[in-house]
Amino acid sequence: MVNVTNTVLGAFRSAYLAYYVFAGHEGRGIMREGLTAVVRHAFKNMKLHRLEANIQPDNLRSIRLVQACGFSLEGYSPRYLKIGGRWRDHERWAILAS
């Protein structure tokens, strides 16, 4: 599952990504194929300029996924999102339309 969320058009033309794969299906390239297709759709059909994925630093599989799809590390956001009752730090990864 890949969601394009919080889409802002106008001068910004940006959105956030949320994604996951069901347990037992990881490591098969499904997410890379899906994320690549969604990025292509977002830039070509939705005419977005930027997509951003915020990932907890210990989520190495997700970091490797976005790296493989061409995302670049842009920064670090302390206490970015509350998960499981705790504020969690995240790395900010993004890709721009060419």
Side-chain angles (χ1 to χ4, degrees):
M1 187 284 304
V2 180
N3 272 339
V4 177
T5 67
N6 298 326
T7 304
V8 179
L9 299 177
F12 196 43
R13 304 209 64 81
S14 181
Y16 293 96
L17 292 174
Y19 50 85
Y20 63 85
V21 67
F22 290 106
H25 296 280
E26 60 272 7
R28 297 182 185 179
I30 295 169
M31 286 305 302
R32 184 174 181 177
E33 183 179 340
L35 184 55
T36 299
V38 169
V39 167
R40 185 174 36 253
H41 176 81
F43 290 151
K44 182 178 179 185
N45 299 96
M46 297 174 70
K47 305 295 187 206
L48 295 181
H49 167 70
R50 168 190 175 81
L51 291 171
E52 185 173 312
N54 291 283
I55 305 167
Q56 293 179 61
D58 61 345
N59 189 343
L60 300 180
R61 287 190 110 153
S62 189
I63 290 170
R64 285 194 300 268
L65 171 65
V66 295
Q67 286 175 323
C69 291
F71 286 67
S72 298
L73 179 62
E74 288 192 337
Y76 188 81
S77 300
R79 299 174 42 91
Y80 178 76
L81 187 62
K82 195 171 194 177
I83 300 172
R86 289 183 43 222
W87 288 102
R88 311 290 176 134
D89 299 342
H90 282 68
E91 293 180 354
R92 189 173 54 259
W93 290 81
I95 189 168
L96 303 177
S98 29

